Amino acid sequence: MPKERLHAVLGPHGQEHLLAFWDRLDTEQRRSLAEQIDRIDFELIRRLHADRDRPSDVHELIARAEPPPAIRLDSVTTAEQSKARRRGAMEIRAGRIGAILVAGGQGTRLEFGKPKGMFPIGPLSGKTLFQIHVEKIVAAARRYGARIPLYLMTSPATHRQTVEFFAAHERFGLPAEDLLIFCQGTMPAVDAETGRVLLEEHGRIAASPDGHGGMSAALLHGGALDDIQRRGIQHLFYFQVDNPLVDICGLEMIGHHLLADSELTTQVIAKRDPLERVGNVVQVDGRLYVIEYSDLPEEAANRRNPDGSLTIWAGSIAVHVISAGLLRRSAESADALPFHVARKAVAHLDHSGRRVEPSEPNAVKFERFIFDLMPQARNAIVMEVDRRLAFAPLKNASGAEQDTPEIVRDQLMALHRDWLRWAGAEVSDEVEVEISPLYALDAEELAEKLPPGTRITEPTYFRP
Ligand code: UTP
């Protein structure tokens, strides 16, 4: 695009500063900058920036929040669990379930320098998050004699390395036709005061992935929704890259989702204390919503039901089963998921081209969140899980107080020790153990394989 055309595009939006260094760019850099500009919806950016301080209606939600309809750990009967498991297994066998893994985040807090999925988390095996996740899918597909396609979302920050990593490891055993990697979009960071889009380099706009909620649009544009439809997939098991404990395509969750004729079922943990820093799943007017912990005042967090239990008790762990129909509805409507505004310190070039590294937030970023799908879902329900068995997110680098590699590995080993004991083995808390998903996906499968009287006294990695 010639410079004059770009001026004509940018002028009406007050964004012509993006061309300030045009004359210093080579042909390739110019082409790239023109492309970046072309992808931005400047009218949307203007609107989002203008609304950046608009009070949200979260106070209204908080005031009216009720506990969500839930499958609770202490009230679900064994018969109900078995029924759900049978229903879930039937659906997987019929090839109507797929998996969605979102791995487009920048993983800033982990300070790893590569996509988070490439982080070696297996306590003894050193397997990466990606490998552990994929092997669960491969093992489940084998167990149920079904295809379970994986739709893997990357972002420009993680795409190339992820694609290369999967190719180099032959997709960890997943058939080529069952892996679809698609890339989410980005949103530019803008100066908080002026709304001007920031430049990171002379020819590069400061942009970051548009949030895990960018998944809806990316599923559509990346061809995944068509693939889902073509295969007759009805529901998708959604999970995030950072939690190696997640029971991918867990039968009980899929079963409860189907039995409730739900369009979205989400896993929750009972909060340890009212102010625990997790998203809060609540019900308002028969619809599910997530209230972020940063929005929840202490008085509301402490509200109690007549029986004394917490009203806002359900903490989200970002594991969902979502119907393909809901995904398509949301993907096809541009405004289906709202943008959230975050104030961030963003490094950029000033008008003279000097790099500025602010220590305080100078910019706003815009992200979509997948949990905003919830209010649109018919019959949405929550399913409670035991956090010890289901939730260990890798968020922070070693040395932090929580969610570090060491803590995640310990939790993975504790889970596997539990399985071993359930399966009849003797193992003390100090012994390091790890079970490959290809050896056993759960305690029941492990019990079928372990010789009776097994005693584990030294570090042991169970693999086929
Ligand atoms: P987080 O919000 O924890 O972000 O993502 P992150 O990138 O892992 O880490 P920080 O905040 O930069 O330290 C939760 C999940 O959502 C995905 C992440 O890859 C992770 O699986 N995600 C997040 C996306 O796929 N795209 C995004 O734009 C943001």
Side-chain angles (χ1 to χ4, degrees), residues 101-110 116 153-155 184-185 208-213 238-242 367 394-395:
L101 165 56
V102 293
Q106 292 170 303
T108 332
R109 287 167 287 171
L110 186 61
K116 199 187 275 190
M153 184 170 86
T154 57
S155 68
Q184 70 179 110
S208 45
D210 58 358
H212 37 61
Y238 165 100
F239 63 106
Q240 303 192 333
V241 76
D242 46 30
E367 281 193 335
L394 177 65
K395 298 284 187 195

Side-chain angles (χ1 to χ4, degrees), residues 50-362:
D51 285 352
R52 68 197 178 284
D53 293 325
R54 203 176 64 176
S56 70
D57 43 14
V58 69
H59 303 292
E60 170 81 7
L61 282 183
I62 293 170
R64 300 170 57 209
E66 294 171 42
I71 315 282
R72 297 295 306 253
L73 281 173
D74 60 4
S75 58
V76 65
T77 64
T78 318
E80 285 165 342
Q81 281 172 330
S82 311
K83 186 171 174 197
R85 293 178 68 85
R86 281 197 303 277
R87 186 68 188 82
M90 194 203 267
E91 203 69 6
I92 296 182
R93 279 204 188 90
R96 291 195 286 261
I97 301 292
I100 298 182
L101 165 56
V102 293
Q106 292 170 303
T108 332
R109 287 167 287 171
L110 186 61
E111 298 168 6
F112 178 47
K114 293 185 209 168
K116 199 187 275 190
M118 290 167 65
F119 192 91
I121 200 66
L124 299 175
S125 66
K127 279 182 185 173
T128 60
L129 283 160
F130 276 144
Q131 182 167 4
I132 293 177
H133 293 317
V134 172
E135 287 184 350
K136 288 183 192 178
I137 295 173
V138 168
R142 206 176 286 162
R143 184 193 274 188
Y144 299 106
R147 308 286 287 271
I148 305 179
L150 171 63
Y151 301 95
L152 168 55
M153 184 170 86
T154 57
S155 68
T158 62
H159 186 74
R160 193 179 51 78
Q161 281 175 293
T162 304
V163 168
E164 287 172 4
F165 189 63
F166 272 76
H169 293 89
E170 294 177 8
R171 302 168 306 282
F172 303 104
L174 201 64
E177 59 276 29
D178 290 344
L179 175 66
L180 199 153
I181 302 182
F182 62 103
C183 189
Q184 70 179 110
T186 58
M187 284 291 275
V190 308
D191 181 273
E193 286 311 308
T194 61
R196 286 168 139 215
V197 170
L198 295 174
L199 275 178
E200 184 171 84
E201 289 170 16
H202 289 160
R204 193 152 83 226
I205 287 169
S208 45
D210 58 358
H212 37 61
M215 183 188 86
S216 285
L219 276 172
L220 182 67
H221 300 128
L225 272 184
D226 287 340
D227 190 74
I228 287 168
Q229 192 165 348
R230 188 177 55 71
R231 290 171 180 256
I233 290 191
Q234 302 292 323
H235 302 275
L236 290 121
F237 187 97
Y238 165 100
F239 63 106
Q240 303 192 333
V241 76
D242 46 30
N243 177 17
L245 262 53
V246 59
D247 180 18
I248 301 171
C249 297
L251 297 189
E252 201 180 327
M253 179 162 182
I254 293 172
H256 284 307
H257 172 82
L258 291 162
L259 292 169
D261 188 24
S262 163
E263 283 192 317
L264 190 149
T265 300
T266 185
Q267 274 185 17
V268 297
I269 49 176
K271 288 197 296 176
R272 280 203 191 108
D273 70 81
L275 291 174
E276 184 172 352
R277 294 159 75 94
V278 283
N280 299 278
V281 187
V282 301
Q283 178 174 237
V284 177
D285 287 342
R287 307 238 150 222
L288 288 198
Y289 291 85
V290 166
I291 297 170
E292 293 183 76
Y293 61 79
S294 48
D295 286 333
L296 189 64
E298 194 168 340
E299 156 279 319
N302 281 308
R303 207 184 304 147
R304 305 261 159 191
N305 302 318
D307 66 0
S309 58
L310 279 183
T311 303
I312 302 184
W313 65 270
S316 169
I317 61 167
V319 176
H320 319 295
V321 177
I322 311 174
S323 80
L326 174 60
L327 280 178
R328 186 169 278 280
R329 276 204 320 272
S330 108
E332 286 177 348
S333 142
D335 297 330
L337 298 180
F339 279 97
H340 295 248
V341 173
R343 289 180 181 264
K344 297 270 165 99
V346 175
H348 61 279
L349 303 183
D350 68 11
H351 60 277
S352 63
R354 252 197 323 263
R355 193 171 166 81
V356 185
E357 307 249 358
S359 52
E360 295 297 313
N362 61 310

